[in-house]
Amino acid sequence: MEEKRVLGFIHPDLGIGGAERLILDAATELQRCGHKVHLYTAYHDLARCFEDTLHIGGKRCDWIHVSGSWIPRHFFGFFHIFFANLRCFWLSIVLIFSRRKTQIELIFVDQVSLPVLIVRCLSNIRTIFYCHYPDSLLAPRNSIIRMLYRFPYDLLEKYSTLCAHKILVNSKFTAQKFLNAFLNVESLDCPDVLYPSVIFRFSASVC
């Protein structure tokens, strides 16, 4: 008989998007298999979210925990990455301190890799990092100031990502980009690919 586990997810903003859909599909499928899931996020708008995050009455599902919404996303349009990391740092601390109650054994982290480093340093929880695309390859570097600003965050992304017990990517293309982002890391294995799920809904007329 398969052992049932308690798993945690950390996702900075639980809005409506492809990354959010992937996280929710993974979480709900794990629950369907009998595992217990806790999802930690800093943002979840009840008026603009996926239906499966809500109960029938429109209330937030019990397994979704919102904390850190007081932390802004940016400061007058600047410092997005700083505040994203700050939110995820806060969520990591909340998850760790609530572990006595939740008994989380493994966490699934995506988008911002900092929680991997925090959880590895402060607990014995196993970690999985899901890479949609290396952030260091997305950020522009069209000035010396921007290069200096990005430098510590690129290092943080690199070393916190490599702290994960398991690294997954969403495609073979992303796997190659991931390896390119960490060219100077010796003996780095190619991450495994976990493709986003596709849900088919057929109407009677189509069938």
Side-chain angles (χ1 to χ4, degrees), residues 5-10 30 36-38 40 95 99 103-109 119 123-129 165-166:
R5 298 187 177 277
V6 183
L7 305 108
F9 286 77
I10 292 181
L30 286 166
K36 190 167 185 179
V37 169
H38 296 275
Y40 293 83
L95 181 147
R99 191 190 182 192
Q103 300 298 310
I104 289 174
E105 307 167 58
L106 180 147
I107 65 164
F108 188 103
V109 179
V119 171
S123 75
N124 62 349
I125 300 174
R126 304 284 293 180
T127 57
I128 296 175
F129 181 70
H165 291 97
K166 185 70 175 178

Short mmCIF file of all heavy atoms in Angstrom, two decimals, residues 5-10 30 36-38 40 95 99 103-109 119 123-129 165-166:
data_model
loop_
_atom_site.label_atom_id
_atom_site.label_comp_id
_atom_site.label_asym_id
_atom_site.label_seq_id
_atom_site.Cartn_x
_atom_site.Cartn_y
_atom_site.Cartn_z
N ARG A 5 1.63 10.87 2.41
CA ARG A 5 2.58 11.86 2.90
C ARG A 5 1.92 13.23 3.05
O ARG A 5 0.82 13.47 2.54
CB ARG A 5 3.78 11.96 1.97
CG ARG A 5 4.58 10.68 1.87
CD ARG A 5 5.85 10.86 1.07
NE ARG A 5 6.65 9.66 1.01
CZ ARG A 5 7.50 9.27 1.97
NH1 ARG A 5 7.65 10.01 3.06
NH2 ARG A 5 8.20 8.16 1.83
N VAL A 6 2.62 14.12 3.74
CA VAL A 6 2.18 15.50 3.90
C VAL A 6 3.16 16.38 3.12
O VAL A 6 4.37 16.36 3.40
CB VAL A 6 2.14 15.93 5.37
CG1 VAL A 6 1.60 17.35 5.49
CG2 VAL A 6 1.29 14.96 6.19
N LEU A 7 2.64 17.11 2.16
CA LEU A 7 3.50 17.90 1.27
C LEU A 7 3.12 19.37 1.32
O LEU A 7 1.95 19.72 1.50
CB LEU A 7 3.39 17.39 -0.16
CG LEU A 7 3.69 15.90 -0.34
CD1 LEU A 7 2.40 15.14 -0.63
CD2 LEU A 7 4.69 15.67 -1.46
N GLY A 8 4.12 20.22 1.15
CA GLY A 8 3.90 21.65 1.14
C GLY A 8 4.30 22.26 -0.20
O GLY A 8 5.19 21.75 -0.89
N PHE A 9 3.62 23.33 -0.56
CA PHE A 9 3.95 24.09 -1.76
C PHE A 9 4.19 25.54 -1.34
O PHE A 9 3.46 26.07 -0.49
CB PHE A 9 2.80 24.06 -2.77
CG PHE A 9 2.64 22.76 -3.49
CD1 PHE A 9 2.05 21.67 -2.87
CD2 PHE A 9 3.08 22.61 -4.81
CE1 PHE A 9 1.89 20.46 -3.53
CE2 PHE A 9 2.94 21.41 -5.48
CZ PHE A 9 2.34 20.33 -4.84
N ILE A 10 5.20 26.17 -1.92
CA ILE A 10 5.42 27.60 -1.73
C ILE A 10 5.37 28.27 -3.09
O ILE A 10 6.16 27.95 -3.99
CB ILE A 10 6.77 27.89 -1.05
CG1 ILE A 10 6.76 27.39 0.40
CG2 ILE A 10 7.07 29.39 -1.07
CD1 ILE A 10 8.06 27.65 1.16
N LEU A 30 -2.24 15.29 -6.09
CA LEU A 30 -1.67 14.65 -4.90
C LEU A 30 -2.75 14.39 -3.85
O LEU A 30 -2.76 13.34 -3.21
CB LEU A 30 -0.56 15.53 -4.32
CG LEU A 30 0.76 15.54 -5.11
CD1 LEU A 30 1.65 16.68 -4.64
CD2 LEU A 30 1.48 14.20 -4.96
N LYS A 36 -1.79 14.57 1.87
CA LYS A 36 -2.26 15.84 2.44
C LYS A 36 -1.37 16.97 1.94
O LYS A 36 -0.14 16.85 1.90
CB LYS A 36 -2.25 15.80 3.96
CG LYS A 36 -2.95 16.98 4.62
CD LYS A 36 -3.20 16.75 6.09
CE LYS A 36 -4.01 17.90 6.68
NZ LYS A 36 -4.30 17.69 8.11
N VAL A 37 -1.99 18.09 1.56
CA VAL A 37 -1.26 19.18 0.93
C VAL A 37 -1.53 20.49 1.66
O VAL A 37 -2.66 20.76 2.08
CB VAL A 37 -1.65 19.33 -0.56
CG1 VAL A 37 -1.10 20.62 -1.15
CG2 VAL A 37 -1.15 18.13 -1.37
N HIS A 38 -0.47 21.28 1.82
CA HIS A 38 -0.58 22.66 2.33
C HIS A 38 0.12 23.57 1.34
O HIS A 38 1.29 23.34 0.99
CB HIS A 38 0.08 22.79 3.71
CG HIS A 38 -0.57 21.98 4.78
ND1 HIS A 38 -1.66 22.42 5.50
CD2 HIS A 38 -0.29 20.73 5.24
CE1 HIS A 38 -2.01 21.50 6.37
NE2 HIS A 38 -1.19 20.46 6.24
N TYR A 40 1.35 27.44 0.57
CA TYR A 40 1.62 28.74 1.18
C TYR A 40 1.86 29.77 0.08
O TYR A 40 2.68 29.57 -0.81
CB TYR A 40 2.85 28.64 2.09
CG TYR A 40 2.63 27.78 3.31
CD1 TYR A 40 2.75 26.39 3.23
CD2 TYR A 40 2.29 28.34 4.53
CE1 TYR A 40 2.54 25.59 4.34
CE2 TYR A 40 2.08 27.55 5.65
CZ TYR A 40 2.21 26.18 5.54
OH TYR A 40 1.99 25.38 6.64
N LEU A 95 6.12 28.45 7.03
CA LEU A 95 6.00 27.00 6.83
C LEU A 95 6.79 26.22 7.87
O LEU A 95 6.29 25.23 8.43
CB LEU A 95 6.49 26.65 5.42
CG LEU A 95 6.42 25.18 5.00
CD1 LEU A 95 6.14 25.06 3.50
CD2 LEU A 95 7.73 24.43 5.32
N ARG A 99 5.30 23.73 11.10
CA ARG A 99 5.51 22.32 10.81
C ARG A 99 5.07 21.40 11.94
O ARG A 99 4.64 20.28 11.71
CB ARG A 99 6.98 22.07 10.50
CG ARG A 99 7.22 20.68 9.93
CD ARG A 99 8.68 20.33 9.83
NE ARG A 99 8.86 19.01 9.25
CZ ARG A 99 10.01 18.38 9.28
NH1 ARG A 99 11.08 18.93 9.83
NH2 ARG A 99 10.11 17.17 8.74
N GLN A 103 3.14 18.88 10.01
CA GLN A 103 3.95 17.67 9.79
C GLN A 103 4.39 17.51 8.34
O GLN A 103 4.47 16.41 7.80
CB GLN A 103 3.18 16.42 10.25
CG GLN A 103 2.80 16.41 11.71
CD GLN A 103 4.02 16.42 12.63
OE1 GLN A 103 4.95 15.62 12.45
NE2 GLN A 103 4.04 17.32 13.60
N ILE A 104 4.70 18.63 7.69
CA ILE A 104 5.14 18.58 6.29
C ILE A 104 6.47 17.84 6.17
O ILE A 104 7.41 18.08 6.92
CB ILE A 104 5.27 20.01 5.72
CG1 ILE A 104 3.87 20.62 5.52
CG2 ILE A 104 6.03 20.01 4.40
CD1 ILE A 104 3.89 22.08 5.10
N GLU A 105 6.54 16.93 5.19
CA GLU A 105 7.73 16.12 4.97
C GLU A 105 8.55 16.57 3.76
O GLU A 105 9.76 16.33 3.68
CB GLU A 105 7.35 14.65 4.77
CG GLU A 105 6.46 14.07 5.85
CD GLU A 105 5.87 12.75 5.44
OE1 GLU A 105 6.66 11.82 5.13
OE2 GLU A 105 4.64 12.63 5.40
N LEU A 106 7.87 17.18 2.80
CA LEU A 106 8.53 17.57 1.56
C LEU A 106 7.85 18.82 1.01
O LEU A 106 6.62 18.96 1.13
CB LEU A 106 8.44 16.42 0.55
CG LEU A 106 9.07 16.61 -0.85
CD1 LEU A 106 9.61 15.27 -1.35
CD2 LEU A 106 8.05 17.16 -1.85
N ILE A 107 8.63 19.72 0.42
CA ILE A 107 8.03 20.92 -0.17
C ILE A 107 8.39 21.02 -1.65
O ILE A 107 9.45 20.57 -2.09
CB ILE A 107 8.46 22.22 0.55
CG1 ILE A 107 9.96 22.48 0.40
CG2 ILE A 107 8.02 22.22 1.99
CD1 ILE A 107 10.35 23.90 0.74
N PHE A 108 7.48 21.62 -2.38
CA PHE A 108 7.60 21.85 -3.80
C PHE A 108 7.66 23.37 -4.00
O PHE A 108 6.73 24.08 -3.64
CB PHE A 108 6.38 21.26 -4.51
CG PHE A 108 6.45 21.25 -6.00
CD1 PHE A 108 6.75 20.09 -6.69
CD2 PHE A 108 6.20 22.40 -6.73
CE1 PHE A 108 6.79 20.08 -8.09
CE2 PHE A 108 6.23 22.40 -8.12
CZ PHE A 108 6.54 21.23 -8.79
N VAL A 109 8.78 23.85 -4.54
CA VAL A 109 9.01 25.28 -4.70
C VAL A 109 9.15 25.60 -6.18
O VAL A 109 9.78 24.83 -6.93
CB VAL A 109 10.29 25.73 -3.95
CG1 VAL A 109 10.55 27.22 -4.15
CG2 VAL A 109 10.20 25.39 -2.48
N VAL A 119 14.74 26.49 3.85
CA VAL A 119 14.23 25.24 4.41
C VAL A 119 15.36 24.23 4.64
O VAL A 119 15.38 23.53 5.66
CB VAL A 119 13.15 24.65 3.49
CG1 VAL A 119 12.75 23.25 3.93
CG2 VAL A 119 11.92 25.55 3.48
N SER A 123 15.68 23.22 8.58
CA SER A 123 14.87 22.04 8.85
C SER A 123 15.44 20.84 8.10
O SER A 123 16.42 20.97 7.35
CB SER A 123 13.41 22.27 8.43
OG SER A 123 13.29 22.23 7.01
N ASN A 124 14.81 19.70 8.29
CA ASN A 124 15.21 18.49 7.56
C ASN A 124 14.17 18.11 6.51
O ASN A 124 14.11 16.96 6.06
CB ASN A 124 15.43 17.33 8.52
CG ASN A 124 14.16 16.97 9.29
OD1 ASN A 124 13.17 17.71 9.25
ND2 ASN A 124 14.18 15.85 9.99
N ILE A 125 13.35 19.07 6.09
CA ILE A 125 12.33 18.84 5.08
C ILE A 125 12.99 18.64 3.71
O ILE A 125 13.89 19.40 3.34
CB ILE A 125 11.34 20.01 5.02
CG1 ILE A 125 10.63 20.20 6.37
CG2 ILE A 125 10.31 19.81 3.92
CD1 ILE A 125 9.74 21.43 6.43
N ARG A 126 12.56 17.66 2.98
CA ARG A 126 13.06 17.43 1.63
C ARG A 126 12.51 18.49 0.70
O ARG A 126 11.40 19.01 0.89
CB ARG A 126 12.64 16.04 1.14
CG ARG A 126 13.07 14.90 2.03
CD ARG A 126 14.54 14.58 1.91
NE ARG A 126 14.88 14.05 0.60
CZ ARG A 126 16.12 13.69 0.25
NH1 ARG A 126 17.12 13.84 1.10
NH2 ARG A 126 16.36 13.19 -0.96
N THR A 127 13.28 18.83 -0.35
CA THR A 127 12.89 19.95 -1.22
C THR A 127 12.95 19.56 -2.69
O THR A 127 13.85 18.84 -3.14
CB THR A 127 13.82 21.16 -1.01
OG1 THR A 127 15.18 20.75 -1.24
CG2 THR A 127 13.70 21.70 0.42
N ILE A 128 11.96 20.06 -3.44
CA ILE A 128 11.93 19.94 -4.90
C ILE A 128 11.80 21.34 -5.46
O ILE A 128 10.95 22.11 -5.03
CB ILE A 128 10.74 19.09 -5.39
CG1 ILE A 128 10.88 17.64 -4.90
CG2 ILE A 128 10.64 19.13 -6.91
CD1 ILE A 128 9.68 16.78 -5.25
N PHE A 129 12.66 21.68 -6.42
CA PHE A 129 12.52 22.97 -7.09
C PHE A 129 12.11 22.75 -8.54
O PHE A 129 12.75 21.99 -9.26
CB PHE A 129 13.81 23.78 -7.05
CG PHE A 129 13.67 25.13 -7.72
CD1 PHE A 129 12.90 26.12 -7.13
CD2 PHE A 129 14.28 25.40 -8.94
CE1 PHE A 129 12.74 27.36 -7.74
CE2 PHE A 129 14.14 26.63 -9.55
CZ PHE A 129 13.35 27.62 -8.95
N HIS A 165 16.95 19.05 -3.17
CA HIS A 165 17.21 17.62 -3.27
C HIS A 165 16.89 17.10 -4.67
O HIS A 165 17.50 16.14 -5.14
CB HIS A 165 16.34 16.87 -2.25
CG HIS A 165 16.74 17.10 -0.83
ND1 HIS A 165 16.12 18.04 -0.03
CD2 HIS A 165 17.71 16.54 -0.06
CE1 HIS A 165 16.67 18.03 1.18
NE2 HIS A 165 17.64 17.14 1.17
N LYS A 166 15.94 17.76 -5.33
CA LYS A 166 15.55 17.36 -6.68
C LYS A 166 15.18 18.60 -7.48
O LYS A 166 14.49 19.49 -6.98
CB LYS A 166 14.34 16.41 -6.63
CG LYS A 166 13.92 15.84 -7.97
CD LYS A 166 14.94 14.83 -8.47
CE LYS A 166 14.47 14.16 -9.76
NZ LYS A 166 15.49 13.20 -10.28
#
